[in-house]
Amino acid sequence: MADTPILQLENVRKVYSSGDIEFEALRGVTLSVDQGEYVAVVGPSGSGKSTLMNILGCLDVATEGRYEIGGEDVGKMDEVDLAEVRGRRIGFVFQQFNLLASMSAWRNVELPLSYAGVGPAERKRRAIAALESVGLGDKINNRPGQLSGGQQQRAAIARALVTEPMLLLADEPTGNLDSASAREILDIFDQVHRSGRTIVLITHDWDVAGRTDRSIEVRDGMILERGPGRREPQLAEVGK
Ligand code: ADP
């Protein structure tokens, strides 16, 4: 496995301003993720995880600092470049699945390919293959309302992977699921990881983080710890 960093953040700050009030949600974050790594970003609510996810996913820009994805400086990209990164180089998985209710599973999954200009026959073939890879080969014609929560999240993972992105970025992907479905989703992430894909998984749940290679702990907008997947005992009550 190559160890070229696929993501590199240097001293990234994010300041939200509203009127006279400024709030520093990220206070100088430096981290790198290597190609093929499976990393959790863990922290309690309000710690800055979503802010970090938005910057990693090129959905928002840092106030200060440097962010490189695949060796390219995101700060130098224009809107067209950023849209290309979001559409083809990153696959997103969200807590709420975000599937279109009126469309069948395979139509949902082929959508990113249609934005990428892939022809209809190829789109359908790849969408069905992606659904088969997450165990939904017999549900391709079901609409989201005809799928369980776990199945909907599996379809969302198929949609995220169908463009063969360099990075899978997941925000609380098991947050809306019962524990059996959550385990199934994490098993699929293991399988995606084994296939060599880089995964960054954002979670408040240390049990979920424990399934990854490495946990990056975020607290009050700063990185506290970069250890193995499981929480280190000495961190149990930091600052208490
Ligand atoms: P998490 O995802 O870990 O819950 P967030 O990144 O959503 O944390 O938020 C980190 C901090 O930044 C919180 O205190 C939150 O209130 C604040 N924050 C987030 N978004 C905004 C915004 N648009 N304007 C002002 N403050 C914000």
Side-chain angles (χ1 to χ4, degrees), residues 14-18 21 23-26 43-54 60 171-172 202 218 221:
K14 177 70 189 180
V15 179
Y16 293 113
S17 313
S18 60
I21 301 166
F23 183 81
E24 194 173 354
L26 294 179
S45 179
S47 56
K49 300 184 300 299
S50 300
T51 302
L52 185 56
M53 149 119 185
N54 289 342
D60 198 0
D171 190 5
E172 302 280 4
I202 285 145
V218 184

Side-chain angles (χ1 to χ4, degrees), residues 176-189:
N176 269 7
L177 302 176
D178 62 88
S179 36
S181 303
R183 270 195 303 277
E184 278 173 25
I185 295 301
L186 293 172
D187 289 346
I188 290 173
F189 277 78

Side-chain angles (χ1 to χ4, degrees), residues 22 136 219:
E22 289 202 333
L136 289 180
R219 239 3 130 84

Side-chain angles (χ1 to χ4, degrees), residues 80-206:
V80 175
D81 297 332
L82 291 172
E84 199 268 339
V85 171
R86 287 191 297 262
R88 302 178 74 164
R89 297 166 80 181
I90 303 176
F92 293 92
V93 175
F94 301 98
Q95 181 170 353
Q96 310 289 351
F97 324 135
N98 293 4
L99 298 168
L100 297 176
S102 62
M103 286 187 182
S104 66
W106 79 265
R107 288 279 186 195
N108 267 282
V109 174
E110 70 150 13
L111 216 51
L113 294 176
S114 104
Y115 298 142
V118 178
E122 171 77 358
R123 289 205 301 266
K124 185 166 187 181
R125 189 188 66 72
R126 283 170 64 179
I128 292 171
L131 283 164
E132 282 169 349
S133 78
V134 296
L136 289 180
D138 59 341
K139 304 272 189 245
I140 60 168
N141 292 312
N142 289 39
R143 287 200 294 276
Q146 300 166 315
L147 299 172
S148 70
Q151 288 169 339
Q152 289 184 60
Q153 193 60 303
R154 284 196 261 153
I157 295 170
R159 180 186 55 187
L161 293 176
V162 77
T163 55
E164 304 197 342
M166 62 158 82
L167 170 70
L168 185 64
L169 191 53
D171 190 5
E172 302 280 4
T174 58
N176 269 7
L177 302 176
D178 62 88
S179 36
S181 303
R183 270 195 303 277
E184 278 173 25
I185 295 301
L186 293 172
D187 289 346
I188 290 173
F189 277 78
D190 285 347
Q191 177 193 314
V192 171
H193 172 46
R194 279 196 301 274
S195 77
R197 188 101 44 206
T198 310
I199 308 176
V200 175
L201 188 161
I202 285 145
T203 182
H204 68 281
D205 184 338
W206 280 97

